[in-house]
Amino acid sequence: MADRTSVAIPVRNGAADLPAVLDAIRAQRVEGEVDVVVVDSGSTDSSVALCEDAGATVERIAPEAFSHGGTRNRLMELARGDRVAFLTQDAVPAHDGWLAALLDGFAGDDVGLVCGPYLPRPDASPMVKRELEEWFATIPPVVRGPLGGGARPGPETFFSSANGAVSRAAWQRVPFREVPYAEDQRLAVDMLNAGFAKAYVPHAGVVHSHDYLPLERFRRWFDEFRALREVYGYRAPLAPRPVLGTIRREVARDRAAAGDAVVWESLCYHTLRALGAGLGTRADRLPAAVRRLCSLERRPTYEPSHP
């Protein structure tokens, strides 16, 4: 285990959730020193004061200077640890052994990345709960690169900067790319192709889930699936037959897990997901104004980074 570990958090207007996150970091039982570093991109609430009062090193940047990849590279530069654990401002470590569990994932000398699961919030919808439980159950404990025949979105290439740790030595060779979204997925592909390994630790969970209003939900999926297109070149089905078949199967699984009362909500959920996936993975064909309209982040660009 490294003598010093850092916890890194990009922040903007996170005062509602930061106290729980900072308290959970402070409660961690781990060997060696731990420092907390924050890059705040223009908060107008009490986020900066909360982080400084908790002893974090805080650097402020203008909102327009933020990027998912570039800002995390800056957090790596500010951090002093040989291992840097990344959280988001609303991802709360689930127990006081979270950080130690993540660090235990660096058991092999070739491990560059370690991640843990998201746990649903108590008020999460049945669809979100089932999705998180089933998805994280599929991730293998260790994946070693290179990827060979090409990268595909899936459990083998999954990594999350909302709950993941990066080896400084590996990052110095393979930094985050300066990409507007899905910087963690891109980093995983790059590190695996560089010959590093990626580990998954199921006991290193954070409470982190989102239930959006319908329009926000569609826009979030548009962003996520546009990113899969940008990173992997992935294109989701859009033809009626496969899309309707997927929706029917997912609704049936939600009904089996949560009962008849969830059917209508599940139908809306998976229909919006299919629409967001179909349009997001075809963002290259859409005008910039339409991409902006469909995006939760209001991002008008399409910036492929796949080979």
Side-chain angles (χ1 to χ4, degrees), residues 9-18 38-52 58-66 89:
I9 315 172
V11 168
R12 186 177 185 190
N13 291 333
D17 299 300
L18 276 169
V38 168
V39 170
D40 183 273
S41 54
S43 289
T44 57
D45 61 8
S46 60
S47 291
V48 170
L50 286 168
C51 294
E52 289 178 339
V58 180
E59 179 169 286
R60 305 188 195 196
I61 62 173
E64 59 271 18
F66 174 84
Q89 64 191 27

Side-chain angles (χ1 to χ4, degrees), residues 211-223:
D211 272 303
Y212 295 100
L213 295 173
L215 181 58
E216 292 176 322
R217 187 178 292 164
F218 161 76
R219 287 173 166 166
R220 176 63 181 263
W221 278 322
F222 178 88
D223 285 337

Side-chain angles (χ1 to χ4, degrees), residues 186-261:
R186 183 68 262 178
L187 181 67
V189 171
D190 289 345
M191 282 214 178
L192 287 167
N193 279 332
F196 290 103
K198 177 180 69 74
Y200 170 69
V201 182
H203 301 302
V206 299
V207 179
H208 181 60
S209 64
H210 296 285
D211 272 303
Y212 295 100
L213 295 173
L215 181 58
E216 292 176 322
R217 187 178 292 164
F218 161 76
R219 287 173 166 166
R220 176 63 181 263
W221 278 322
F222 178 88
D223 285 337
E224 290 185 354
F225 280 92
R226 169 173 51 182
L228 294 182
R229 172 73 170 165
E230 290 172 330
V231 172
Y232 300 101
Y234 171 73
R235 184 170 291 172
L238 198 57
R241 185 170 182 175
V243 168
L244 291 174
T246 297
I247 293 171
R248 183 173 56 213
R249 286 192 299 273
E250 294 301 315
V251 172
R253 293 165 74 183
D254 287 335
R255 183 183 183 186
D260 292 343

